[in-house]
Amino acid sequence: MAANMMELARSLAGQLSAWRRDLHRWPELGFCEMLTSCRIARTLTDLGFDQVLVGRDVCFGPGRMGLPSEEVLEEAYAQAAKRGADPVFLAEMEGGFTGVVGILRCGEGPTVALRFDIDALPIQESRDPERLPVREGFVSEHPGVMHACGHDGHTAVGLGVAQVLAACREQLHGTVKLLFQPAEEGVRGAKSMVENGHLDGVDYVLGAHVGACQPGEGPFVGVGSGGTLATAKFDAVFTGKSSHAGMAPQEGRYAMLAAATAVLNLFAIPRHGDAPTRINVGKLTAGTGRNIVCDRAVLELEVRGSTSEANAYMAAYARQILEAAAAMHGCEVEIACVGAAERAENTPALRSLVLETLAQAGVPAREIDDGPEVSEDFSYFAKAVTDHGGQSCYFMNLAQAGAIHHPSFDFDEAALVQGVQAFCAVTARLLEAPQGASCGTAD
Amino acid sequence: MAANMMELARSLAGQLSAWRRDLHRWPELGFCEMLTSCRIARTLTDLGFDQVLVGRDVCFGPGRMGLPSEEVLEEAYAQAAKRGADPVFLAEMEGGFTGVVGILRCGEGPTVALRFDIDALPIQESRDPERLPVREGFVSEHPGVMHACGHDGHTAVGLGVAQVLAACREQLHGTVKLLFQPAEEGVRGAKSMVENGHLDGVDYVLGAHVGACQPGEGPFVGVGSGGTLATAKFDAVFTGKSSHAGMAPQEGRYAMLAAATAVLNLFAIPRHGDAPTRINVGKLTAGTGRNIVCDRAVLELEVRGSTSEANAYMAAYARQILEAAAAMHGCEVEIACVGAAERAENTPALRSLVLETLAQAGVPAREIDDGPEVSEDFSYFAKAVTDHGGQSCYFMNLAQAGAIHHPSFDFDEAALVQGVQAFCAVTARLLEAPQGASCGTAD
Amino acid sequence: MAANMMELARSLAGQLSAWRRDLHRWPELGFCEMLTSCRIARTLTDLGFDQVLVGRDVCFGPGRMGLPSEEVLEEAYAQAAKRGADPVFLAEMEGGFTGVVGILRCGEGPTVALRFDIDALPIQESRDPERLPVREGFVSEHPGVMHACGHDGHTAVGLGVAQVLAACREQLHGTVKLLFQPAEEGVRGAKSMVENGHLDGVDYVLGAHVGACQPGEGPFVGVGSGGTLATAKFDAVFTGKSSHAGMAPQEGRYAMLAAATAVLNLFAIPRHGDAPTRINVGKLTAGTGRNIVCDRAVLELEVRGSTSEANAYMAAYARQILEAAAAMHGCEVEIACVGAAERAENTPALRSLVLETLAQAGVPAREIDDGPEVSEDFSYFAKAVTDHGGQSCYFMNLAQAGAIHHPSFDFDEAALVQGVQAFCAVTARLLEAPQGASCGTAD
Amino acid sequence: MAANMMELARSLAGQLSAWRRDLHRWPELGFCEMLTSCRIARTLTDLGFDQVLVGRDVCFGPGRMGLPSEEVLEEAYAQAAKRGADPVFLAEMEGGFTGVVGILRCGEGPTVALRFDIDALPIQESRDPERLPVREGFVSEHPGVMHACGHDGHTAVGLGVAQVLAACREQLHGTVKLLFQPAEEGVRGAKSMVENGHLDGVDYVLGAHVGACQPGEGPFVGVGSGGTLATAKFDAVFTGKSSHAGMAPQEGRYAMLAAATAVLNLFAIPRHGDAPTRINVGKLTAGTGRNIVCDRAVLELEVRGSTSEANAYMAAYARQILEAAAAMHGCEVEIACVGAAERAENTPALRSLVLETLAQAGVPAREIDDGPEVSEDFSYFAKAVTDHGGQSCYFMNLAQAGAIHHPSFDFDEAALVQGVQAFCAVTARLLEAPQGASCGTAD
């Protein structure tokens, strides 16, 4: 079953690599993926997707977390235009409305959603001449921005899946939704897609991430618990009042003291007895000069919990501390939630089906032991689907690769075909004809 | 002028010493001075004072700061009764209504108020056999309580002044008010006497404290700026919620964290640009056991300022910190002001008059340089009088003496006659007959 | 097999209850269990144990953690003497050398150690007339001390086990060691017994704790993971220098600031990525008065970790913080480790054998799910035995019971017979005749 | 006396204004005053000064505090070259060796040193069209740099003084040293000039600062106590170790925690009983991203004291806190002293002479009440001179002016002539002919 899809995927190897390298050359940060989104929309349209949603149809505006400044969004728009983005699609994306949803309707049957995240990281790519992207000339041309997390590959896989499934749509019985999600870094974008209803009525949702095998090991698909840490990301801005530290110290309102008190107390949030938690204040910028009372301090922090409850406990306590720290020193504080993810886990039935299907389809796959130490906003999709009785599975698309989020990250492009095959095999299995009918003829 | 008073004072030396030693033998803490107050009231009554106020007529009940527990007050009452306190006066003092006001009306003229503080300290007196109180058998018999600040001497001086002025009342033209004030230690009692109106209409107020001369120096009266630090004393009780630190740390409300955050931030209250300030958290008691989340923490703290404004800044900031520290960790906090004093300074005119009068009366006296580093609640009397145009002077009654607040403190009883003389000479000068009349006959 | 032991245990019900109630009437705190130890030693001697070790033969002196003050130990000694402790044994216990080891040598075969902890808690027992100990007249007569954790029952079970095994010693092939351990509360005593070599050469070690079934449920033995949190308990004493907070604040060395800084930073020790941890500062006592710079602060704290590594990380970080906090404010700090336990887990083979053996012996038993949220110094015994290849099992002796560590705690005495049966059945199974011989006849 | 100098100064008004505006147009930060120093050196040379010291002869290299990075110094060098700095002088200034000392030897007599500070501030000047510098076209052309503290005026006054004194040198009997000091902002440069011995043998040292009169008031010279706060400025860099906050929090070394602990404890340094103090942490920059353990934190702080002792107490305590905060979290800390000033006060005799001399010379002058709330590194010169018995005076050159250190600061150029007159009148008086001779003819 689906053998033709596997074959077709293999034949796309060159195309997948070309797409991926093209994307790699112009990486875009979260909610700035304008050129990327235009290319995706163009491709899906050309492939004959029944519906291609862009702009405000993708993400619910107010639900987007950690939206960049208007200035940054305008610059992204200008760059995308300059680099040849389709002007019709691009116009819809003004103000950070990126991402694409492609829908393929293949008659009666369940709905399968596949998630591909498309954004890049604020990292300057290494120009080490030994690296493939340098040797082959597809190193990032966007200063300070890099696909260091493999989302260029994820996007290419998504386009490959679109091509295979569109070509074989007569084999499918149901609906396929391809979710090209913006702003996964910082777990900022998924929530707003859920809020626009894209997961309503979805029966199965699948997502994947490229990752590194052991040295010497061949590529394979790893399926684990899919467990991720729930998390919340906050920016907190304390505003006080400056005064001359020598002449009128009593007239200041010390944002510095509020911030330092907050930092210590945030780390001191008591452990949760039921579930491991995390807290980090990773960045703090405060004040202007040594003899001026500091009137502004900006904290960037995150909390995590291995259950959503433990994460909510951490998040609520963190807010309480930030507010009290401000009040303690007569300051104001503005707290913005700039990212969030839920605790998620693979549905056991779908996890088993994935392993079984890939084995049958000849895609190397096995169980892995994945610790719940990272956060992923795929969890919003998983939760939306499982909350109404659907099933979810998140798997690792493993191949030889470097360290993620590092300036010299790269991965073996064998993962591209493998990814397309994995998504297509499982989709085909989930949307195969009612057993009585199709199975009879197939065997 | 007043030569007869000086002579009379000298003749009282034995009586003053006897009074002082008797008081020394049974020292009483603030608002517990029941035996002491009964003796004063008895003596003033016997001396024919026009009015002798006791009980609720002395201090305004709700204005008393740092009132001891009912248990302690009842024990003081029982002890006073047992040691022979006059039952009629004593009955008025139930519940901590101590202190006495004696009024001598001597016709038309200004009103002079003289303050004598009467309470002792929670210090166990030294039984070193070389000390005078031990050798002469008047060491404290009250375990853990001691007149280590000389208020036994202040009280004896007040009684001597009462005797001299009562005897020479025909020389005075105006009104004398003797204020035997409770609870000066911890600056707790003066405010409530002011609130009962005892300083209304007072033209001059005088107070004094015994102190140590340089070794080898003879006794003398020192008159300085009278400057004292404004201060406020607080008890803060944080109430949280206990839980098992191993099993359910997230269910606790950490009074320990609230208290530690408060301590650091209290010390960190920024300096005041206009006036030196002080802050101290001197005592902290928190929690019951190492594996129980601490649900109660008690802080004892004080702030000071060399101006009342700077002190008010410190006090308000301290309250803000205590409240925010509680809110930060979901706790409650109760803040009690258990003592307070204002910034005070001698009225220059009265200060000069005191120096001049004592010189004329043959009482050794000179200017001293007194730093504003201590607090005294005489400041409430000073402020009440100067606020409506009156004058105030606080002087040091200096003699050979030991270190104040120390278990082996003692002073040369020569200070007793000197103190009586100083108060009487100045009172006589302030209440002498209208110049035209009396001066003519005197010279 | 062992049916006669089960029967004999049942017949001891009255005796077990009498022992337990007698112990309950005079509970003794850790390292003060002098009357208790004398009674145990007397009983084991009378039962003909081959060796009965007391005094310095039980615990390694310097290894005892959290030893009470000499004064407390002397008082315990005097009380034990007064209440009729055997003077020969008692003399050995002077200075806190409590606990008893009883050895029964039954020929060739493995060595089985059984642990019974004997100390009480500093809790004032409830005199609610509805409670059994009140109704039956065995409520604690030791003010402020109570067997609120069931160690009176543990001790009675130990004595019952001694009686049964001594009576049936010819059925056993090997050595039995009964370890009556002092000072389990605060995890203070086990380490010093291990340091005296009592676990060297032990093949199996067993321990148990009474606990509460669900309401309405009958008594049973619960066998779980035996997992406990590793822990370390510390007392830290900061010593600074006092000065007058108004006159010379700069001359103080602020133990208060050192302590507050330590508290905040201790709670802020970062989480461990591999294992849940805990931290609590449960008690803090600092300073003498509000206007004196605090020169002494005492912290009582504990850390825990679900692995010994995570616990060691917490303990080392805590020490580093305490030392730096002292240095920060020119203070000294003394840190005493007053309790510690390791991470332990039941050996799976022994756990299975216990469940199987109890089923065969007719003792109700089943698997339970015990969270690793408490600490127990049985873990030292477990580790000592398993480190050289032996096996360990810790089980719950469950019956109707109240809340542990509560003034009204009590338990259904049915647990006493059940406990004796459980220990004896497993010991008999472990020390039954060499397989070739006995198994042949059995089948 | 000196009437001709007063007249000559008045005639220089246009020149002074031209110099000042030229300097205003290209302001330079501390140790970057290369164009400025070249112009000064050129002028003094042209005026025939006996000695004009530049480069390493001015400041002792290692004594320069808060030296900018090499990059910044190179840029300053390049800009100065581009804007026409004299290449011979400029070559000496490479690496931040700015400042000029000009010496005029006028025979036997005392030595008078006059200090003029020449550096600017990192402030972007306001381009408000109503401001004089904008209207007259001399607004700063150096982006982000501005003479917002009037040092352009100070320098112009120095050049004017040079011209007047050089012209009238035959009236002087002794030596004049003009000290054009770099890097006064941040109190960084004076110490290194003292360390090169420029104050050795100086009998009188004078300095001045422009300042604002009351609205409507005419310009005048104000002479006060000259009291300044001693101060020390520190940069502290904490270095820890980053790790992933979700996966391996225990592997980080938290520079963030070290910094926050330091901030709170720095502000909490106890007050000094003898002298007001100040502390401010004005700037803190820490960390790179919210999910990365922060491995670097930079604090900019300062302490002050109204005595050098109190300042030393604060500085030593601050260092102790910074070091302990690093140790507490396993971090390193590097502390750099980037600025310092001593407590200084005007010598009463010279202060009186200045007031008297200016009155005689017709320069409006009066006593002012200047609070000791600012810091000035003129204090190093004052201390160096008074320590060996010389005299020092620092006065205010007051005129209509805006708020110092503000983007729209400006001052009435009437202050320029007034300043030249004041310095020249006092210098003339101090170096007038031996009394017998000249006084006789003068009267």
Side-chain angles (χ1 to χ4, degrees), chain B residues 127-164:
Chain B
R127 302 196 168 257
D128 178 341
E130 308 228 335
R131 297 181 63 243
L132 188 77
V134 181
R135 286 199 329 260
E136 300 286 326
F138 65 91
V139 72
S140 169
E141 296 167 6
H142 197 159
V145 184
M146 177 189 175
H147 270 301
C149 195
H151 296 189
D152 49 345
H154 298 179
T155 308
V157 165
L159 296 176
V161 167
Q163 182 151 348
V164 171

Side-chain angles (χ1 to χ4, degrees), chain D residues 188-206:
Chain D
R188 301 179 288 141
K191 181 161 156 276
S192 61
M193 290 185 77
V194 171
E195 288 168 349
N196 255 356
H198 295 301
L199 280 298
D200 296 355
V202 168
D203 301 287
Y204 305 95
V205 64
L206 292 142

Side-chain angles (χ1 to χ4, degrees), chain A residues 362-426:
Chain A
V363 180
R366 63 170 190 265
E367 274 200 74
I368 57 168
D369 181 20
D370 54 346
E373 287 162 338
V374 296
S375 301
E376 235 287 6
D377 67 357
F378 177 78
S379 57
Y380 274 104
F381 299 140
K383 191 169 183 309
V385 168
T386 57
D387 275 0
H388 62 250
Q391 299 185 31
S392 160
C393 188
Y394 183 79
F395 58 89
M396 297 302 294
N397 182 6
L398 300 164
Q400 290 301 314
I404 243 164
H405 289 210
H406 192 277
S408 65
F409 175 72
D410 195 25
F411 64 91
D412 178 356
E413 290 181 345
L416 299 175
V417 168
Q418 175 173 274
V420 174
Q421 290 183 323
F423 277 109
C424 290
V426 176

Side-chain angles (χ1 to χ4, degrees), chain B residues 234-235 245-247 256-257 261 264 267 278 280-292 301-302 338, chain C residues 233-235 245-246 256-257 261 264 267 278 280-292 301-302 338 373:
Chain B
F234 297 105
D235 283 355
M247 287 187 286
M256 182 69 77
L257 283 170
T261 299
L264 277 185
F267 278 98
R278 297 282 184 278
N280 194 46
V281 183
K283 194 168 174 183
L284 167 54
T285 315
T288 55
R290 82 183 72 247
N291 67 337
I292 306 295
L301 61 133
E302 60 165 31
V338 296
Chain C
K233 320 286 189 188
F234 297 105
D235 283 354
M256 182 68 78
L257 284 170
T261 298
L264 277 183
F267 277 98
R278 298 284 185 277
N280 195 47
V281 183
K283 194 167 174 185
L284 168 54
T285 314
T288 54
R290 84 182 71 246
N291 66 338
I292 307 294
L301 61 133
E302 60 165 30
V338 296
E373 286 163 337

Side-chain angles (χ1 to χ4, degrees), chain D residues 2-16 47 160-171 417 420-421 424:
Chain D
N4 61 328
M5 290 189 192
M6 297 305 99
E7 184 51 42
L8 177 50
R10 250 190 307 279
S11 75
L12 288 177
Q15 171 69 73
L16 291 167
L47 288 170
V161 167
Q163 180 150 351
V164 171
L165 295 182
C168 308
R169 62 189 302 173
E170 74 292 342
Q171 290 176 254
V417 168
V420 174
Q421 289 182 325
C424 290

